[in-house]
Amino acid sequence: MALWMALRGYPVHPLAPGTKTPAPNCSDCRTARHAPQDCPCRSRGGWCHGFHAATTDPDTVRRWWGTDPEPGIGVSCGPAGLVVVDVDAHGAPVPDRQRLLPGIPIDDRVDLTGLGSGYDTLALLAAYRSAPNPCEDTSTLRVRTPSGGMHIWYRAALNGPRFRCSSGSSSRVALAWQVDVRATGGYIVAPSTRTTAGVYEPLPGARVPAPLPLWLTAELVRTGHCVETPPAPAEPRTPRAKAVTPRGHRQDGQRVLASLLDEVRSCGASREGTAFSEKLNRAAFTAGGLAAAGHFTEAEARRSLLEVAEQARPHQPRRIALIVETGLRAGSDRPIHPKGRP
Ligand SMILES: [Zn+2]
Ligand SMILES: [Zn+2]
């Protein structure tokens, strides 16, 4: 299985037999202070530093796994181009409803009786976005974990943003309570791995990862999972005429968008901590709905959104483009007809 994965381009590294943690470092590396990329063991075929040692080299893989007991298999998610949604089901006290889906207020009228795991919060998030539940996504590889959780494997877009790992219990970056994200800077236990707790077993459905759904891409962007890429070399920009932000005297749809754009624009006053992604996502989503209802064209909306967002955050063109596109696309499913003035 390790070789099968390596030959398909997934860099693998051994897990300590019977566990889900990486095989231990050599004694030198346990005490030495060096960065994983400077480790001398790698050139000697060692597996020190966990997922940093992951390889697709068939000879190395044959050597690492030709032992008894066989090590389990870890896959280094970043170089494998994987984003894995890790759904947990361990008993834990349910937090306040406002902490279940970070950034999404859950109305008091929503009945949360029986909610108790990542299965529930992920289903809630999918329902909130009117998207299919990833736990039931048979188009992609899903793996049942020995503790009753589920790993949903997805392929990240080739030229899309890179995503970081997160834990569902983090108060800083999280997708949903009891839902972890495994991506760049992390590893995932491969199917067929056996630990003392049981086997990581593929569930019925596809045996290879499907592309990360657009709506989940948007959710990961919104919840701060983007690994910032270094800014592209600055292009000389032709100053445009005034930003397209029609005010009150125009149609209602344009007025609604203008006030959302103002919120995005206000983020320019400070470099962080302004909920920029959140505000841009909301503006793009609403713009998509207003364009679908004919208040303006989608091209007009895109131009305004990009212009305002790039003024507020001049060095994040890729992230901005992604939020705008996903927001517009998602919003276009729901035409919005604003009524009167507030
Ligand atoms: Zn070592
Ligand atoms: Zn080392």
Side-chain angles (χ1 to χ4, degrees):
M1 188 63 180
L3 190 60
W4 188 92
M5 302 209 71
L7 292 174
R8 274 155 191 80
Y10 297 110
V12 289
H13 62 100
L15 304 177
T19 78
K20 55 179 183 178
T21 50
N25 289 356
C26 72
S27 55
D28 283 352
C29 288
R30 247 169 278 164
T31 49
R33 295 193 176 188
H34 53 244
Q37 60 269 25
D38 300 329
C39 182
C41 301
R42 208 187 323 180
S43 56
R44 288 188 241 124
W47 59 49
C48 297
H49 307 283
F51 68 84
H52 294 285
T55 181
T56 55
D57 175 57
D59 292 333
T60 308
V61 170
R62 280 194 200 95
R63 203 173 58 246
W64 282 352
W65 273 273
T67 57
D68 186 32
E70 271 234 310
I73 305 166
V75 177
S76 179
C77 296
L82 289 171
V83 175
V84 180
V85 179
D86 176 357
V87 182
D88 287 329
H90 17 82
V94 178
D96 181 81
R97 64 170 61 216
Q98 300 316 340
R99 292 207 50 203
L100 293 173
L101 300 178
I104 297 177
I106 300 175
D107 194 278
D108 283 337
R109 285 165 296 184
V110 178
D111 183 7
L112 297 177
T113 313
L115 179 139
S117 73
Y119 289 102
D120 304 320
T121 53
L122 190 56
L124 199 61
L125 180 62
Y128 184 79
R129 296 298 185 208
S130 304
N133 185 351
C135 293
E136 291 160 11
D137 185 356
T138 53
S139 76
T140 197
L141 172 64
R142 297 171 307 148
V143 178
R144 187 161 176 86
T145 74
S147 59
M150 190 190 288
H151 293 165
I152 308 158
W153 291 47
Y154 287 114
R155 260 188 300 121
L158 264 186
N159 296 312
R162 298 193 314 141
F163 294 118
R164 72 177 84 236
C165 298
S166 73
S167 156
S169 57
S170 163
S171 57
R172 288 170 51 243
V173 176
L175 184 62
W177 178 68
Q178 288 226 352
V179 176
D180 299 343
V181 173
R182 305 299 181 90
T184 299
Y187 70 96
I188 190 74
V189 179
S192 85
T193 293
R194 179 182 290 276
T195 70
T196 50
V199 181
Y200 286 77
E201 222 168 333
L203 286 161
R207 292 297 166 109
V208 290
L212 183 68
L214 198 63
W215 79 272
L216 267 177
T217 306
E219 286 304 292
L220 290 172
V221 172
R222 178 185 66 79
T223 48
H225 284 79
C226 279
V227 177
E228 293 295 344
T229 45
E235 280 171 37
R237 293 190 56 191
T238 21
R240 286 219 179 94
K242 271 178 81 181
V244 187
T245 51
R247 303 242 172 204
H249 66 284
R250 304 251 197 113
Q251 289 175 10
D252 289 323
Q254 293 182 327
R255 188 174 41 76
V256 170
L257 178 59
S259 81
L260 289 169
L261 287 174
D262 279 343
E263 287 188 34
V264 175
R265 185 178 293 110
S266 70
C267 296
S270 169
R271 285 189 62 188
E272 51 195 357
T274 56
F276 171 76
S277 313
E278 186 84 51
K279 288 173 182 168
L280 180 57
N281 181 55
R282 195 184 312 135
F285 183 83
T286 306
L290 290 167
H295 292 275
F296 36 72
T297 69
E298 194 176 292
E300 286 170 330
R302 179 178 294 111
R303 197 174 58 232
S304 309
L305 287 160
L306 291 176
E307 192 162 290
V308 170
E310 282 170 7
Q311 274 167 14
R313 290 286 180 276
H315 300 300
Q316 306 175 3
R318 245 157 67 128
R319 175 174 167 225
I320 286 170
L322 183 80
I323 299 176
V324 168
E325 287 313 313
T326 49
L328 281 174
R329 180 110 69 107
S332 67
D333 291 342
R334 301 175 193 190
I336 299 171
H337 304 277
K339 289 190 192 82
R341 301 190 168 216

